[in-house]
Amino acid sequence: MDLTIRDIAKMAGVSPATVSKIINNYDGISEVTKQKVYKVIDDTKYKPTFSAKSLATKKSNLIGIIYAGKINVDFKHPFFNEVINSFKKAVGALGYDLLLFSNEKFHQGESEYLERCKHFHVDGCLIIAGDEIEEAIQNIAESNIPCIGIDLKLQGPFTSSLMTDNKKIGHKVVEYLYLNQVRDIAYIGGKQDSYLASIRNRGFLDAMDQFGIHQHDGWIRYGDFFEESGYEAMQEILKQKKLPEAVFAASDMMALGAMKAIREHGLSIPEDIQLIGCDDIEACRYSSPPLTTVRQDKQKLGKLAAYMMNDLIQGERDRQEIQIDPELVLRGSTMER
């Protein structure tokens, strides 16, 4: 028979609330009462349930994971999967478990993140950026639940944001190509109405202006960060009368799609067209040729998010916006001159 706090309280001759306070190390309980309850617990080999602890402390040690937006990356994007895995390991070591929230019925008005977070007593939420962010995200950000946004700026009393310095990404690529005497550069960017993509797009275009490199209209295309859009954008670029010397795709997945299109046209990488991606997902190391890319430090993003989350939950951090420097990783899809 499974014992409850009420059973232990009855055996010890105290109230259930007193047993809860003793289990969770509250002050204000006499040593005599503590020893009486401890003896009953020891004799019965009672183990407090998770729900009993969370009800007593108002803490669940649960962190909610939300893939925000009507259009979101979900489980499909390897970059965010690596960030989440790093986050999971770090918060796990801090004693937290993860709870993944679905937004499949959101657009039918059936639920709100804030309601569900309160229902499960989550201690905090990690929110992953998508497109067309729901109003419900702002509702939870404005609540008293600590929230960390990945690639998403949150405005609220207990929020912080974390992302790579996306404007520097394009600058690193253009600077590298310029130093290697490459001037004919094409670009496959993310969706123009996406906050994150717009920063990355602007960073590339500003860098082109800074280095005095002419922007060919037919060489500037936009996708959605996934392979098919990179393939289609590269097909359009390859229809131009003049071909670029290099292509920068604002995600590795779009770069891999572009790689397929270049090959189908009988061209070689990097001899005919050099190719650079962004994110440094694992597939870059195994493409043929291996893909040069701008690395976002996924391990650091995940660990920082975990520690920042714990600090917010413990009340040890004010809201912050942190940016991490990107790093250019050279592989076989580019060549130095």
Side-chain angles (χ1 to χ4, degrees):
M1 162 178 163
D2 292 332
L3 295 173
T4 67
I5 278 183
R6 290 186 179 278
D7 296 324
I8 299 301
K10 189 174 181 180
M11 293 178 195
V14 299
S15 70
T18 298
V19 176
S20 291
K21 289 178 180 179
I22 291 170
I23 288 172
N24 291 285
N25 298 315
Y26 276 63
D27 294 328
I29 308 295
S30 72
E31 192 60 33
V32 172
T33 302
K34 284 182 182 179
Q35 292 307 318
K36 190 190 300 183
V37 171
Y38 287 147
K39 185 175 187 312
V40 173
I41 290 173
D42 189 51
D43 290 345
T44 60
K45 296 182 170 51
Y46 169 72
K47 294 189 183 299
T49 64
F50 171 79
S51 58
K53 287 184 176 181
S54 64
L55 285 171
T57 62
K58 306 300 182 186
K59 283 175 61 78
S60 64
N61 284 359
L62 285 175
I63 305 295
I65 303 288
I66 297 174
Y67 287 92
K70 294 179 182 178
I71 303 168
N72 60 64
V73 295
D74 210 345
F75 302 107
K76 295 179 290 186
H77 201 295
F79 168 75
F80 287 107
N81 281 344
E82 291 186 52
V83 173
I84 291 296
N85 282 334
S86 173
F87 178 79
K88 179 182 70 175
K89 289 178 184 177
V91 293
L94 294 169
Y96 296 97
D97 287 314
L98 302 183
L99 179 65
L100 181 66
F101 288 105
S102 167
N103 72 347
E104 297 305 315
K105 292 189 177 181
F106 239 102
H107 315 305
Q108 301 171 29
E110 292 191 17
S111 182
E112 272 225 5
Y113 291 127
L114 183 55
E115 293 173 10
R116 284 184 283 172
C117 286
K118 288 181 177 178
H119 174 76
F120 289 105
H121 302 284
V122 299
D123 294 336
C125 271
L126 184 72
I127 304 175
I128 308 297
D131 290 329
E132 298 181 36
I133 301 296
E134 309 96 320
E135 185 180 342
I137 294 298
Q138 188 56 31
N139 292 341
I140 189 172
E142 292 173 352
S143 75
N144 62 355
I145 296 174
C147 295
I148 301 286
I150 299 288
D151 285 348
L152 176 68
K153 284 191 176 184
L154 299 174
Q155 301 297 326
F158 303 102
T159 62
S160 288
S161 302
L162 186 61
M163 65 181 67
T164 299
D165 189 333
N166 284 276
K167 199 161 186 184
K168 284 185 180 178
I169 289 172
H171 187 277
K172 284 186 175 291
V173 170
V174 175
E175 180 183 62
Y176 168 77
L177 293 172
Y178 184 85
L179 289 172
N180 283 277
Q181 303 177 52
V182 176
R183 302 293 184 270
D184 292 336
I185 306 170
Y187 177 63
I188 303 174
K191 294 179 66 173
Q192 292 176 278
D193 59 354
S194 162
Y195 168 73
L196 176 67
S198 66
I199 298 175
R200 203 169 290 185
N201 297 342
R202 189 72 261 156
F204 170 81
L205 297 173
D206 286 351
M208 293 281 281
D209 286 341
Q210 182 181 351
F211 285 96
I213 300 174
H214 176 66
Q215 298 171 20
H216 297 262
D217 290 339
W219 292 352
I220 307 293
R221 301 287 169 175
Y222 297 95
D224 62 6
F225 289 126
F226 289 97
E227 288 130 307
E228 186 62 28
S229 69
Y231 175 82
E232 292 172 357
M234 192 68 227
Q235 294 279 22
E236 293 300 314
I237 292 170
L238 291 168
K239 289 177 183 177
Q240 306 302 309
K241 289 182 179 179
K242 182 180 178 182
L243 296 183
E245 297 175 79
V247 177
F248 170 44
S251 79
D252 290 333
M253 296 176 77
M254 290 196 299
L256 293 173
M259 185 178 285
K260 179 183 177 184
I262 292 169
R263 280 199 189 128
E264 287 182 358
H265 276 71
L267 300 171
S268 297
I269 302 170
E271 292 79 10
D272 296 318
I273 297 179
Q274 300 188 54
L275 183 62
I276 300 176
C278 179
D279 290 336
D280 193 28
I281 62 175
E282 191 171 1
C284 297
R285 301 171 183 82
Y286 305 108
S287 62
S288 181
L291 183 66
T292 291
T293 185
V294 183
R295 173 182 292 153
Q296 298 195 70
D297 194 331
K298 299 169 286 296
Q299 296 298 316
K300 182 185 283 188
L301 281 166
K303 287 185 74 172
L304 274 174
Y307 298 146
M308 289 166 64
M309 177 71 76
N310 188 55
D311 286 347
L312 281 175
I313 291 169
Q314 302 300 329
E316 296 173 357
R317 175 183 288 275
D318 294 328
R319 64 183 312 277
Q320 287 189 317
E321 293 178 2
I322 293 179
Q323 292 191 329
I324 297 174
D325 282 340
E327 175 191 359
L328 184 65
V329 180
L330 299 177
R331 296 195 180 100
S333 66
T334 54
M335 55 185 180
E336 296 192 1
R337 294 173 179 170

